[in-house]
């Protein structure tokens, strides 16, 4: 890392933590949170990377990578994106295929998580870029004036990452 001070000061425990987290994620698409937990087993088919709800809503987990302008990066939001049924089927067909990133064109999707630290992100337009086997897709936000899209295009500083970490670790303060 550069000369920028490492880590962050935790307001809850009063300690300085040396390592600044460079990734945050959502365990499920927000859509799943509206389903009563006792119905999950019968309505949701899911693994770490793919999710089907009620046999009609299709999601893939991917990474929104934000360049870090004053240090090594990227900062990553590990999120879920909805896909059409046909694109989901195409994705699963090539799931274990070497070179799949050269065989599949980018696919349209809707961002399916509300990401803290930003104005509403749910249903932002995205393009899902398949990467090599074992790597989650790269999620490209539509180039709009939304702050997250601007940060994906222009990058963020370590100071901005520290603010994100503090907000996520201490949302009530």
């Amino acid at each position: 890392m550069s000369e920028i001070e490492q880590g962050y000061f935790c307001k809850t425990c009063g300690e300085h933590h040396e390592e600044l987290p460079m990734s945050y994620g959502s365990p499920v698409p927000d859509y799943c949170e509206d389903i009563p937990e006792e119905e999950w087993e019968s309505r949701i088919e899911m693994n770490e990377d793919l999710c089907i709800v009620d046999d009609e809503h299709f999601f893939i987990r991917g990474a929104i990578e934000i360049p870090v302008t004053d240090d090594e990066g990227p900062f990553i939001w590990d999120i879920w994106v909805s896909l059409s049924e046909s694109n989901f089927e195409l994705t699963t067909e090539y799931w274990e295929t070497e070179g799949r990133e050269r065989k599949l064109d980018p696919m349209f999707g809707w961002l399916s998580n509300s990401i803290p630290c930003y104005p509403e992100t749910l249903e932002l337009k995205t393009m899902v870029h398949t990467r090599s086997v074992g790597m989650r897709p790269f999620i490209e936000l539509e180039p709009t004036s939304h702050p997250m899209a601007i940060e994906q295009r222009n990058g963020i500083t370590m100071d901005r990452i520290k603010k994100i970490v503090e907000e996520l670790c201490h949302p009530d303060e």
Side-chain angles (χ1 to χ4, degrees):
M1 290 251 164
S2 63
E3 296 179 19
I4 297 171
E5 181 184 335
Q6 294 297 310
Y8 65 103
F9 183 75
C10 178
K11 296 173 187 171
T12 300
C13 70
E15 300 289 323
H16 184 269
H17 298 281
E18 292 298 321
E19 291 194 38
L20 194 60
M22 294 296 286
S23 176
Y24 283 95
S26 300
V28 296
D30 283 9
Y31 190 83
C32 293
E33 294 175 1
D34 294 333
I35 298 171
E37 202 168 320
E38 61 272 9
E39 295 177 17
W40 276 35
E41 191 173 314
S42 64
R43 296 180 60 193
I44 300 172
E45 183 181 339
M46 183 174 171
N47 62 29
E48 290 183 8
D49 297 298
L50 302 169
C51 178
I52 303 171
V53 178
D54 296 328
D55 293 324
E56 62 182 71
H57 303 283
F58 305 91
F59 304 92
I60 188 167
R61 191 178 225 162
I64 295 175
E65 297 180 0
I66 311 238
V68 179
T69 59
D70 57 355
D71 209 300
E72 293 179 24
F75 183 79
I76 299 171
W77 292 103
D78 185 27
I79 52 81
W80 293 86
V81 172
S82 67
L83 292 176
S84 68
E85 184 174 6
S86 60
N87 281 338
F88 186 85
E89 287 173 359
L90 194 58
T91 297
T92 57
E93 180 182 329
Y94 282 93
W95 194 252
E96 296 295 330
T97 303
E98 293 297 327
R100 67 185 184 175
E101 67 277 12
R102 293 183 301 276
K103 296 176 182 179
L104 296 174
D105 291 330
M107 301 173 199
F108 177 80
W110 296 100
L111 184 57
S112 298
N113 292 112
S114 290
I115 301 174
C117 311
Y118 294 96
E120 184 57 71
T121 59
L122 193 61
E123 298 188 4
L124 288 179
K125 294 178 181 179
T126 70
M127 291 303 287
V128 177
H129 298 266
T130 302
R131 297 197 269 197
S132 60
V133 172
M135 290 188 71
R136 287 196 171 125
F138 171 75
I139 306 301
E140 177 187 13
L141 296 171
E142 179 182 46
T144 65
S145 61
H146 189 282
M148 179 176 262
I150 293 170
E151 287 182 350
Q152 188 177 45
R153 287 192 307 274
N154 300 338
I156 58 175
T157 63
M158 290 302 290
D159 187 53
R160 168 72 172 130
I161 294 170
K162 287 180 186 182
K163 289 181 174 122
I164 289 171
V165 170
E166 288 174 355
E167 184 174 335
L168 292 175
C169 291
H170 314 291
D172 298 329
E173 295 184 13

